[in-house]
Amino acid sequence: MALEYIAVTTGTRIEDNTVTVFLDVDGVPAGDRADRIRTDRAEAARLEARALADAKALAHDLAERNVPVRDIGAILGVTFQRASQLVNS
């Protein structure tokens, strides 16, 4: 809404304007910290997806070499039930 207001009152296109909002609560840079948290969460999700793919690949490789599922779980640091899921996924 702010961009529309600026464009209308200045006679410019919305695309030619920018609005930056800083959220500061009693000296706490809440906006900046919230942005960092969102960035960290996105990075954590990316890393979790990569770890899952790597775990599946390792579980498959080990299972193909007749490593018992309980041992695969111990190697991956998961329960044998979870190791079984990874092997069969």
Side-chain angles (χ1 to χ4, degrees):
M1 288 179 14
L3 285 172
E4 289 179 18
Y5 176 76
I6 293 168
V8 168
T9 57
T10 61
T12 60
R13 298 180 320 155
I14 291 176
E15 298 83 21
D16 295 335
N17 298 289
T18 59
V19 173
T20 305
V21 177
F22 296 96
L23 180 59
D24 187 277
V25 180
D26 291 332
V28 176
D32 292 342
R33 289 171 66 182
D35 287 343
R36 190 181 76 238
I37 290 167
R38 281 189 287 279
T39 300
D40 289 349
R41 284 184 177 146
E43 177 69 6
R46 188 186 67 74
L47 290 171
E48 180 62 29
R50 188 176 82 189
L52 178 59
D54 290 346
K56 286 180 181 181
L58 179 55
H60 288 187
D61 289 347
L62 295 173
E64 287 175 0
R65 288 163 179 78
N66 298 317
V67 175
V69 174
R70 285 192 184 276
D71 292 345
I72 293 171
I75 291 167
L76 291 173
V78 298
T79 65
F80 79 92
Q81 295 95 336
R82 180 64 181 137
S84 179
Q85 291 174 338
L86 293 169
V87 167
N88 294 311
S89 64

